[in-house]
Amino acid sequence: MAKKIFPLVSGLLALTGIIASLLLSAPPAMAHKNQSSSSASAVAEASTTVNNPEDAPMAMAWPTEPGMGMEMDHKKPKTFGGRLVSWLGAWHPAVIHFPIALLLTVALLEVLAAARKKPVYNAGNKVLLAFATAGGFAAAALGWANAGLPAADDGTALTWHRWIGTLIPFVYLLLWRLKRPAETAVNQPSSRLYETTLVVAVALILIQAYLGGDVTHGAGHMAF
């Protein structure tokens, strides 16, 4: 039992740790230049106008407000096509949770099947991966609609989030291709290549989730 589970868990932890350490050691993601300058000028103006700390309002702006960490500040398009793309992109945060949950469920079932030595637990994972793949491609397309085309002033987190998010659906597709059909998987354990790809996919999902929070809520959003 331990021989089957240990490579999955240790490989996932090692890969996640390496990628996370590289991202965390990099400089914090910068917001768009115009947002950074406007935020800095607003802070400077506030510091000069408030002389007594007791007179300052006890209000805190959300991190998602303009100039408070968001890397994307969308202006409403004027054309119908532009507004349609913008509206579709707004669905990205909702749709992305569907393929993420399916992949993590697949990984959990694979670990459970290895621990109990019962391949029947993960026999239906090919069907789950099919839905996850379809949802992954939909979420990636909506992500491009939400973020727009790459720009020179895109922050580090947004750039990594964009391209990792573009890669992940193809990793899902590879997993679906490697997973044996239910009739075969019910009696045979998963292949090593499939297990390795699954570990990589879960690690990418965890890193992508962190980057998504970094883009939405600003650098250091997971600080304790």
Side-chain angles (χ1 to χ4, degrees):
M1 182 190 305
K3 293 182 179 180
K4 188 70 174 177
I5 302 176
F6 183 74
L8 287 173
V9 178
S10 61
L12 174 59
L13 292 177
L15 184 58
T16 305
I18 292 173
I19 301 177
S21 62
L22 290 176
L23 291 173
L24 292 176
S25 62
M30 298 295 293
H32 281 306
K33 296 177 181 178
N34 58 346
Q35 293 178 338
S36 300
S37 58
S38 61
S39 177
S41 60
V43 172
E45 182 180 356
S47 62
T48 56
T49 53
V50 177
N51 297 322
N52 189 351
E54 296 180 355
D55 297 333
M58 300 299 293
M60 185 189 313
W62 286 99
T64 52
E65 290 186 358
M68 296 298 294
M70 282 285 288
E71 289 205 28
M72 295 178 295
D73 186 16
H74 296 293
K75 294 182 179 179
K76 195 171 184 179
K78 296 181 178 180
T79 64
F80 173 80
R83 295 180 66 176
L84 178 62
V85 171
S86 178
W87 180 81
L88 290 174
W91 286 92
H92 173 71
V95 174
I96 192 59
H97 295 89
F98 175 69
I100 290 176
L102 285 178
L103 180 70
L104 296 180
T105 301
V106 167
L108 179 61
L109 291 175
E110 294 289 348
V111 172
L112 183 62
R116 300 295 298 273
K117 294 183 179 180
K118 293 182 178 180
V120 67
Y121 287 160
N122 61 18
N125 275 356
K126 193 175 183 72
V127 176
L128 297 181
L129 286 171
F131 285 108
T133 301
F137 277 106
L142 294 176
W144 276 87
N146 187 38
L149 296 176
D153 56 349
D154 283 348
T156 303
L158 178 57
T159 301
W160 279 93
H161 187 71
R162 180 194 302 278
W163 295 113
I164 293 178
T166 304
L167 172 66
I168 285 177
F170 294 95
V171 179
Y172 276 38
L173 183 61
L174 178 60
L175 279 171
W176 174 82
R177 181 67 180 84
L178 293 174
K179 181 62 182 177
R180 297 187 178 101
E183 296 80 4
T184 306
V186 71
N187 296 316
Q188 295 183 14
S190 302
S191 66
R192 290 293 183 183
L193 180 58
Y194 170 78
E195 293 175 351
T196 302
T197 307
L198 182 59
V199 169
V200 173
V202 173
L204 288 175
I205 284 294
L206 296 178
I207 299 301
Q208 182 73 342
Y210 174 84
L211 292 172
D214 203 33
V215 170
T216 304
H217 300 292
H221 68 283
M222 290 292 291
F224 182 72

